[in-house]
Amino acid sequence: MGRGPSLLLLHGFPQTHLMWYRVAPLLAQQFTLICADLRGYGQSSCPPSDAAHTPYSKRVMAADMIAVMKQLGFESFSVAGHDRGGRVAYRLALDFPQAIERLAVLDILPTSEVWHRADKRLAIGYWPWSLLAQEEPLPEQLLLAAPASIVDNALGGWGSDPGAFPASIRQAYIDALANPARVHAICEDYRAAATLDDEQDQADYTKGHRIQCPLLVLWGQNSVLNSWYTKAGGPLAIWSDWGRDVAGQPIRGGHFFPEESPLETAQQLGLFFANAA
């Protein structure tokens, strides 16, 4: 949708590409938008996994997006990713630097940074990191047993106002968790984060691989990113160690600030990505 330079938008858990429904119409005035579902989420495919969770590593998911964009005629493009989509987005910039013009990550830190700095707050406050990474079938059974509770806990428990999500959008997220194949794929995504993604991040960092394109870091004022990492200088300081050209700021709202503050989110993304034109 839209017109102008190509911009790929990627969602996170427990959402789908629908998370951009308020932001996309604003950005479509400047950009050609591609709002994709990550593999296993929404209406995307759910490839079989393996013992190492390779098909759901962010490296493989990033390669998915390269293939999709090439099929649509885009050899190079910009990308913005929220939550899990942000992890795919920065992996795109690390693995395919020639294809990524500009990168925005929304309310995340690099996966290896999260694990390295993990404590009781993460285990309790952001339970998917530890719970969904457990061996099957325990997390799959829990998600399938109470998809509405899972969605409501996330939308209302991570600093965001649950009133920001219309009933139809909330129900779409719940419906996506009613499919056993999708629930298994989502758990594989988290298992990969606890293994392959962490290892690949550490390997890149140790080798001196850094994000070469301009990087915009946005996070919610009510998100844990705005308070948990102050001793390290906050999200911007941490990301500055991973990129060559990094800028950013907090946005009004919690973890799901794109849906709480769509105008401010679109303004910041629009200004940033316009420079790629």
Side-chain angles (χ1 to χ4, degrees), residues 105-176:
V105 292
L106 281 59
D107 215 64
I108 67 162
L109 295 180
T111 300
S112 64
E113 295 281 359
V114 176
W115 286 121
H116 176 71
R117 301 170 189 275
D119 56 17
K120 182 173 69 175
R121 296 176 302 183
L122 179 75
I124 295 176
Y126 272 71
W127 49 266
W129 282 79
S130 52
L131 175 60
L132 302 189
Q134 299 299 312
E135 292 185 6
E136 62 176 307
L138 175 62
E140 283 90 342
Q141 291 176 341
L142 293 175
L143 262 65
L144 287 167
S149 295
I150 295 296
V151 169
D152 288 345
N153 181 276
L155 298 186
W158 296 341
S160 291
D161 176 7
F165 307 93
S168 60
I169 296 295
R170 171 184 172 273
Q171 189 60 50
Y173 297 155
I174 293 170
D175 291 345

Side-chain angles (χ1 to χ4, degrees), residues 4-187:
S6 54
L7 174 57
L8 174 64
L9 300 178
L10 300 175
H11 67 87
F13 173 86
Q15 302 177 295
T16 70
H17 74 279
L18 291 175
M19 69 157 285
W20 302 107
Y21 79 101
R22 284 178 170 148
V23 174
L26 301 172
L27 290 177
Q29 300 172 33
Q30 296 175 266
F31 307 99
T32 299
L33 300 181
I34 300 88
C35 301
D37 282 333
L38 301 175
R39 62 166 55 187
Y41 291 81
Q43 297 300 311
S44 68
S45 63
C46 303
S49 194
D50 60 24
H53 322 298
T54 308
Y56 293 90
S57 69
K58 306 313 162 289
R59 175 158 284 163
V60 172
M61 287 178 155
D64 277 349
M65 294 300 112
I66 291 291
V68 167
M69 295 300 280
K70 283 186 176 179
Q71 187 171 0
L72 293 174
F74 304 113
E75 294 292 330
S76 63
F77 53 93
S78 293
V79 57
H82 175 260
D83 191 78
R84 313 310 290 175
R87 304 187 186 287
V88 176
Y90 82 78
R91 179 47 59 186
L92 274 163
L94 287 169
D95 287 1
F96 304 95
Q98 73 286 351
I100 305 304
E101 297 168 1
R102 285 181 168 248
L103 163 68
V105 292
L106 281 59
D107 215 64
I108 67 162
L109 295 180
T111 300
S112 64
E113 295 281 359
V114 176
W115 286 121
H116 176 71
R117 301 170 189 275
D119 56 17
K120 182 173 69 175
R121 296 176 302 183
L122 179 75
I124 295 176
Y126 272 71
W127 49 266
W129 282 79
S130 52
L131 175 60
L132 302 189
Q134 299 299 312
E135 292 185 6
E136 62 176 307
L138 175 62
E140 283 90 342
Q141 291 176 341
L142 293 175
L143 262 65
L144 287 167
S149 295
I150 295 296
V151 169
D152 288 345
N153 181 276
L155 298 186
W158 296 341
S160 291
D161 176 7
F165 307 93
S168 60
I169 296 295
R170 171 184 172 273
Q171 189 60 50
Y173 297 155
I174 293 170
D175 291 345
L177 292 180
N179 183 316
R182 300 202 180 285
V183 167
H184 176 62
I186 290 169
C187 292

